Amino acid sequence: MTAFFAEFSYKGSELRKILTKGGCQRAARGGKINVSYSNRRRPLHFLGPLPEKQRRNQVPLRLALRLRRARDRSMRRQNGYSLYIMAEVILKNLKKVYPNAESKKAKKGEPQKKGNLQITDEGVVAVQDFNLEIEDKEFIVLVGPSGCGKSTTLRMIAGLEDISGGELTIGGKLMNDVEPKDRDIAMVFQSYALYPHMTVYENMAFSLKLKKLPKDEIDKKVREAAEILDITQYLDRKPKALSGGQRQRVAIGRAIVRDPAVFLMDEPLSNLDAKLRNQMRAEIIKLRERIDTTFIYVTHDQTEAMTLGDRIVIMKDGFIQQIGTPQEVFDHPANLFVAGFIGMPQMNFFDAKLTRQNGRYAVTVGGVTVELSDEKQQRLAGHNVAEQDVTLGVRPDHLMLCANGIKGTVDVSEMMGSSVHLHVAAEGKDVIVIVPTNGAAAHFPMGSEVNMIFGGNVAHVFDKETGKNLEW
């Protein structure tokens, strides 16, 4: 019978400690373990079948896997001798279909409304053709309106939802049919999901007790996580004696102690008030710096997406609309949906005309013509975009008041302290203009006339029919 073997780069004394602890004293005493005294991080690698003569100094595969699990739990992040596991996550053509089910309240023959999600013979398609490669230690944010499929995608990664189609790999291993407990992930839920009859300490230690880790190791992990999250003083309290922010910290701490390869967060701040949400957002940024792992974060709040993510994934109706860094998505939205969803207040849209004279593109709206910047000229020319009616997008902070420009009438003036937000009726649209106060009082009474202008470098032109950015 062919046997497979594996080789490790462990510190000898630590490896023998694990062997002895696991009841393998004979192997430890016999010295038949190939140990490399290297302090470099090196992944586990299999050697394949070996001749009998070479097997003597190798570890059998079954024992190797046992050692790997033990080391994952207790030694992964010890200085110099850690087993480094790549936490790259790849989602390839991922799909989720919920089978059709007749509603008991629906009248016979009456069609059921499923929003804008695609409905097939198989059922309602919640997520479709989802492709994403998440690098090791990257912070990815899935963002979109309710019902876009972001939480469903996260639950498929966690193993809480079956995958209807496509492939999910974590660390190079196919995870479609792997049980959630075997995926080396930790998840923080929106509702905290704390055990009310347990103290904070017991809640955080519960998963470690199930793994039957030594008590001293459990205590060390729990207290280290509590110190990171500043909840050491609450370890003896029960959840009912904590505030919302403190409960969320406990939920995050419970995930931290598991030392996961991938950290999943499903709208963890949505139940908190605005002030506490801002505070916890800053805490998560600090936490990310201290915990060296891969994060996948789901939210409907574009502010969280912009401030937390290395890259953000904007979703709508089960489809990915755009993937990019926060700055890329803000400066170069792929379509009308992304342009309107990212940015607060949202982008203003006008009906405009895209013209081209002497090889130069310009947009005309409200009798005002603005030539586009050189960068936009190159992109439009590269796609050979023809003259056409377009939807023009300009962000509120990029509109400026001037003597002659697009005419409008002030409907509402909102004093925000450092700026005034003007709601202006112009060209049949409700347009928002942000006017800095610069420390001086600014007064715009209702009904007053204003003129607006914008620069060619901040104008975005979208196809009238498809909504696609013509620069793409």
Side-chain angles (χ1 to χ4, degrees):
M1 181 177 179
T2 302
F4 283 81
F5 296 82
E7 184 181 85
F8 292 85
S9 295
Y10 290 164
K11 187 177 178 181
S13 59
E14 297 291 348
L15 180 60
R16 283 180 171 77
K17 182 179 179 182
I18 294 178
L19 287 168
T20 305
K21 205 172 193 178
C24 305
Q25 293 91 341
R26 182 185 304 173
R29 287 197 302 268
K32 295 182 179 179
I33 307 300
N34 184 12
V35 177
S36 173
Y37 290 87
S38 170
N39 63 354
R40 293 178 298 171
R41 291 183 173 185
R42 189 181 297 175
L44 166 70
H45 58 281
F46 294 103
L47 300 178
L50 296 172
E52 178 64 31
K53 194 172 183 180
Q54 296 181 20
R55 294 180 189 174
R56 296 173 185 172
N57 294 327
Q58 307 299 328
V59 183
L61 176 59
R62 185 168 60 181
L63 178 58
L65 294 176
R66 184 175 178 180
L67 290 171
R68 180 173 186 167
R69 287 193 295 269
R71 190 158 180 86
D72 281 350
R73 292 193 298 264
S74 62
M75 297 172 61
R76 185 189 302 170
R77 288 188 169 89
Q78 290 186 9
N79 293 334
Y81 303 101
S82 59
L83 174 62
Y84 181 60
I85 298 178
M86 295 292 289
E88 183 184 36
V89 182
I90 299 177
L91 299 88
K92 185 176 180 182
N93 300 323
L94 214 62
K95 183 177 182 180
K96 177 61 182 177
V97 179
Y98 289 104
N100 286 318
E102 290 291 335
S103 174
K104 295 182 179 179
K105 295 183 180 179
K107 295 181 180 179
K108 187 176 181 179
E110 182 179 337
Q112 298 185 45
K113 295 182 179 179
K114 300 292 184 182
N116 295 321
L117 296 177
Q118 183 180 356
I119 301 177
T120 65
D121 294 337
E122 298 177 348
V124 179
V125 183
V127 177
Q128 183 151 290
D129 196 27
F130 193 102
N131 291 280
L132 178 64
E133 292 188 10
I134 304 172
E135 297 179 2
D136 183 38
K137 304 176 187 176
E138 188 176 15
F139 198 122
I140 285 286
V141 179
L142 308 183
V143 63
S146 297
C148 70
K150 56 187 184 296
S151 290
T152 302
T153 302
L154 193 76
R155 290 173 65 85
M156 284 193 287
I157 297 173
L160 303 179
E161 293 280 0
D162 293 332
I163 298 174
S164 304
E167 295 180 352
L168 166 67
T169 60
I170 300 178
K173 180 181 178 182
L174 186 65
M175 292 289 177
N176 287 42
D177 300 318
V178 176
E179 291 295 322
K181 64 183 179 64
D182 298 324
R183 297 192 181 194
D184 196 15
I185 60 172
M187 188 167 180
V188 179
F189 296 91
Q190 176 181 349
S191 59
Y192 315 141
L194 300 177
Y195 298 108
H197 63 288
M198 294 183 181
T199 64
V200 169
Y201 185 97
E202 292 168 340
N203 266 282
M204 294 174 66
F206 186 67
S207 63
L208 304 180
K209 290 180 179 177
L210 292 180
K211 293 182 178 180
K212 302 186 184 302
L213 294 185
K215 288 185 179 181
D216 57 342
E217 186 176 338
I218 293 176
D219 184 72
K220 180 182 176 182
K221 284 179 174 287
V222 170
R223 295 192 182 278
E224 283 179 353
E227 186 178 351
I228 290 174
L229 297 167
D230 195 23
I231 55 173
T232 304
Q233 63 271 34
Y234 307 125
L235 289 177
D236 295 328
R237 294 189 188 182
K238 290 188 177 180
K240 65 180 180 181
L242 303 176
S243 67
Q246 291 164 352
R247 292 180 191 180
Q248 193 58 272
R249 282 194 181 97
V250 175
I252 294 173
R254 186 175 56 182
I256 290 174
V257 297
R258 296 187 58 188
D259 203 16
V262 182
F263 224 121
L264 308 180
M265 292 187 168
D266 188 9
E267 304 199 40
L269 309 184
S270 59
N271 289 342
L272 307 179
D273 59 59
K275 182 178 180 181
L276 196 54
R277 191 180 303 125
N278 291 337
Q279 180 183 344
M280 283 302 299
R281 189 166 65 236
E283 293 292 335
I284 291 175
I285 293 173
K286 295 177 184 176
L287 177 67
R288 187 267 174 96
E289 297 298 323
R290 300 185 67 172
I291 299 179
D292 207 15
T293 189
T294 304
F295 280 79
I296 305 177
Y297 188 101
V298 163
T299 182
H300 64 273
D301 187 340
Q302 55 98 12
T303 302
E304 290 180 25
M306 295 288 286
T307 55
L308 293 175
D310 294 327
R311 287 188 299 158
I312 59 179
V313 180
I314 299 99
M315 297 182 66
K316 179 189 177 186
D317 299 334
F319 288 90
I320 293 176
Q321 301 296 309
Q322 187 174 354
I323 302 173
T325 66
Q327 197 65 52
E328 288 172 352
V329 172
F330 185 84
D331 291 338
H332 306 289
N335 52 45
L336 278 172
F337 173 78
V338 175
F341 189 82
I342 298 297
M344 187 64 66
Q346 76 168 34
M347 184 181 288
N348 299 304
F349 298 109
F350 302 90
D351 294 325
K353 177 75 175 180
L354 179 66
T355 58
R356 189 179 190 184
Q357 293 183 351
N358 300 323
R360 302 287 293 178
Y361 288 97
V363 288
T364 302
V365 56
V368 176
T369 299
V370 176
E371 186 176 289
L372 300 180
S373 65
D374 291 339
E375 180 185 0
K376 294 182 180 292
Q377 298 283 350
Q378 293 176 2
R379 289 179 177 174
L380 292 173
H383 292 88
N384 196 26
V385 177
E387 292 186 347
Q388 58 185 290
D389 291 329
V390 296
T391 298
L392 171 68
V394 183
R395 298 199 180 276
D397 47 346
H398 292 157
L399 283 171
M400 299 172 289
L401 299 184
C402 62
N404 294 301
I406 306 170
K407 299 185 182 299
T409 305
V410 176
D411 286 337
V412 178
S413 176
E414 298 176 319
M415 170 54 68
M416 307 299 289
S418 60
S419 63
V420 177
H421 290 195
L422 299 181
H423 292 255
V424 179
E427 297 298 312
K429 306 284 185 178
D430 180 22
V431 179
I432 299 178
V433 184
I434 297 179
V435 182
T437 59
N438 296 322
H443 183 59
F444 297 91
M446 184 182 299
S448 57
E449 300 288 332
V450 294
N451 290 276
M452 302 167 289
I453 195 64
F454 55 91
N457 61 322
V458 294
H460 305 272
V461 287
F462 302 94
D463 187 277
K464 199 81 170 175
E465 300 297 328
T466 64
K468 182 181 177 182
N469 192 332
L470 293 176
E471 296 179 38
W472 281 57

